[in-house]
Amino acid sequence: MVRLLALQAAAALLTWAVFAQLGLAAAPWPFALGCAVLAMLSAPALHHGRWWRVIHFVFPLATTATLQLALPAWFWLAAFALLAVVYGGVLKSGVPLYLSNRHALAHLGRCLPAGARFVDLGAGTGTVLAWLVRHRPDVRACGVEAAWLPWLIGRLRFAARRDVQWVREDLFAHPLADYDVVYAYLSPVAMPALWQKLRRELPHGALFISNSFAIPDQPPLERIAVGDWKRSELLVWQR
């Protein structure tokens, strides 16, 4: 988030300087478009993943559009409250809400041993566990989520199921010694600390599968191309 805002601020300053040099009026939409293009072109210098280019391009245009609407003050309070219950822990953990798509889940299902004890760290709304219930009922699944609203959605989703364990807890506090497979779709920020936890707690022979995000200086045992538009991968390590 800090890098996103810093890059957007730099793009805005550079756009303003270009407009001033050319003697152009900094009208809202031309100015926003200039910021969007500069931020998009600069994004690879600070971020990995092509989707960051889209985020940086859309951000100034969406901000300008929102300001043009002149929304009442209560709208921003409501938006802040909604973001707090969905992304409440992101400032502490550096982990936003990512949902695994059907391509990743199909490959994940093929990686799981029969009868595996499985945990999804940062389970969001329970997308992975819901897929396992339908396609891999032999797997004993647990989901760990800290943010209130995603956890509540998952809690309602699995309220009638005794074969799914759904836990509201910090993913770094949840013990891993009883699992055969640990799955996570987190962020680059969280991976070094998670690797240290895995080294301490994961039993011998157990698998760790990360959606998209690598562990620094730890080559995976296997890379599985997901086949989606983001060119995602499942990265597999074995303890």
Side-chain angles (χ1 to χ4, degrees):
M1 179 61 71
V2 173
R3 291 190 294 177
L4 186 150
L5 295 177
L7 184 55
Q8 288 290 332
L13 289 173
L14 185 55
T15 304
W16 176 83
V18 170
F19 274 50
Q21 185 68 27
L22 297 176
L24 301 175
W29 283 110
F31 184 79
L33 183 59
C35 293
V37 171
L38 285 175
M40 178 186 68
L41 294 176
S42 304
L46 290 182
H47 302 285
H48 298 291
R50 295 185 176 186
W51 61 87
W52 278 108
R53 299 183 184 183
V54 177
I55 292 172
H56 278 286
F57 183 81
V58 170
F59 186 83
L61 299 177
T63 301
T64 301
T66 304
L67 292 174
Q68 298 293 313
L69 294 175
L71 296 170
W74 64 261
F75 173 86
W76 300 109
L77 179 60
F80 175 80
L82 178 61
L83 289 173
V85 296
V86 176
Y87 298 104
V90 71
L91 293 179
K92 176 183 177 181
S93 65
V95 179
L97 176 63
Y98 291 124
L99 301 179
S100 301
N101 61 39
R102 58 186 179 85
H103 302 284
L105 293 174
H107 289 289
L108 175 64
R110 288 191 284 270
C111 293
L112 303 182
R117 297 166 299 173
F118 172 92
V119 62
D120 181 6
L121 298 179
T125 59
T127 303
V128 175
L129 272 62
W131 188 92
L132 292 175
V133 165
R134 294 193 302 272
H135 300 279
R136 288 295 306 272
D138 61 299
V139 172
R140 289 173 286 172
C142 173
V144 179
E145 177 56 49
W148 275 106
L149 185 57
W151 173 84
L152 180 59
I153 293 172
R155 182 70 181 87
L156 296 173
R157 196 174 197 174
F158 303 118
R161 301 204 65 95
R162 296 182 179 274
D163 55 342
V164 172
Q165 185 180 5
W166 188 249
V167 180
R168 184 180 179 274
E169 188 176 18
D170 185 330
L171 65 93
F172 290 105
H174 190 76
L176 304 178
D178 294 332
Y179 297 106
D180 303 307
V181 182
V182 176
Y183 175 76
Y185 190 7
L186 302 177
S187 79
V189 175
M191 300 309 289
L194 179 58
W195 179 245
Q196 295 304 316
K197 177 177 176 64
L198 292 165
R199 291 182 63 188
R200 292 192 304 269
E201 301 179 20
L202 201 62
H204 179 73
L207 299 177
F208 170 56
I209 304 174
S210 173
N211 190 328
S212 302
F213 302 115
I215 299 168
D217 303 319
Q218 297 295 332
L221 179 68
E222 185 179 4
R223 291 178 178 269
I224 303 171
V226 168
D228 59 6
W229 66 272
K230 297 182 293 185
R231 299 185 181 180
S232 305
E233 293 180 311
L234 295 184
L235 296 87
V236 183
W237 290 263
Q238 186 170 32
R239 184 76 170 94

